Amino acid sequence: MATDPLAGMLQRCSLHVLLMVTATTLSRSGFGDVEIQGRRKSRQKSRNGGHELLCRTTIGGQPVRVLVKVIQDKIRTRMVHEMAGCLIDFNGDIGLVISPFNSSALGAKKQVINPKLGVRVIEGSELVKLMRCSGIGVRPKGDVDYAFFGELEARSAEFLAYLKAIKR
């Protein structure tokens, strides 16, 4: 279970809200322009074969593509290897696998995963730390902004209904 209330809030939110919050956090953390790749519900498939977000930025004049897989569960080694395959298939430079949950079993295996794959894991506590540093989902004193998350859930539902209506 999450001990930090912000981590608990992230674990309970819908996939679309988690994607929006993660995209904003990455953008404010220096990952450049972040684009949601079409998947907004947990039962949908990713439009681009396994990653939900695409970050584009420039470092030293060189374009960099960061592929991001957002998981609503504990991260498994298989997911990290799938991201490595995505990096090859979609010519990405860096791969991130992000989850609001902490995975103690994967923590021990992190050292075993080949660093040449270019895949990095961001688990719950690290995601919460990035969000707090970026001021996302928290009030000025550091408390969770429950109204923010409630409004995101409401707007998400409206947006998903709109998408469903225009697909007809």
Side-chain angles (χ1 to χ4, degrees):
M1 278 307 280
T3 56
D4 187 316
L6 183 55
M9 188 72 225
L10 289 172
Q11 291 170 5
R12 291 187 303 273
C13 67
S14 68
L15 177 63
H16 189 218
V17 169
L18 182 60
L19 287 171
M20 289 189 292
V21 168
T22 303
T24 305
T25 301
L26 291 173
S27 181
R28 286 193 185 175
S29 298
F31 282 86
D33 297 326
V34 183
E35 178 183 336
I36 295 178
Q37 295 293 296
R39 179 175 182 235
R40 290 178 171 81
K41 294 181 186 176
S42 50
R43 291 193 172 136
Q44 287 178 318
K45 292 194 178 204
S46 297
R47 181 173 54 188
N48 285 329
H51 63 281
E52 286 77 30
L53 302 173
L54 173 62
C55 308
R56 295 173 196 210
T57 190
T58 305
I59 299 175
Q62 297 298 314
V64 177
R65 292 170 39 104
V66 180
L67 308 179
V68 182
K69 183 172 189 64
V70 180
I71 309 295
Q72 283 187 297
D73 197 2
K74 291 186 177 185
I75 299 170
R76 295 178 192 87
T77 306
R78 173 184 56 82
M79 296 168 181
V80 175
H81 290 283
E82 286 173 359
M83 175 50 71
C86 275
L87 282 175
I88 294 167
D89 292 346
F90 297 100
N91 200 22
D93 298 299
I94 301 168
L96 296 177
V97 181
I98 299 177
S99 170
F101 294 90
N102 286 325
S103 297
S104 57
L106 183 66
K109 292 184 180 181
K110 277 186 190 178
Q111 283 71 16
V112 179
I113 297 170
N114 188 340
K116 292 179 186 176
L117 295 176
V119 178
R120 181 154 182 262
V121 172
I122 297 178
E123 295 178 322
S125 56
E126 192 175 352
L127 179 59
V128 165
K129 193 182 301 183
L130 280 174
M131 288 178 64
R132 287 190 187 280
C133 288
S134 302
I136 297 169
V138 292
R139 297 187 178 270
K141 291 184 179 180
D143 300 332
V144 177
D145 191 347
Y146 293 103
F148 169 77
F149 283 100
E151 191 65 23
L152 273 180
E153 289 289 353
R155 297 293 176 218
S156 172
E158 291 173 9
F159 182 71
L160 293 174
Y162 169 74
L163 284 179
K164 186 176 182 180
I166 63 171
K167 282 191 175 184
R168 292 181 183 200

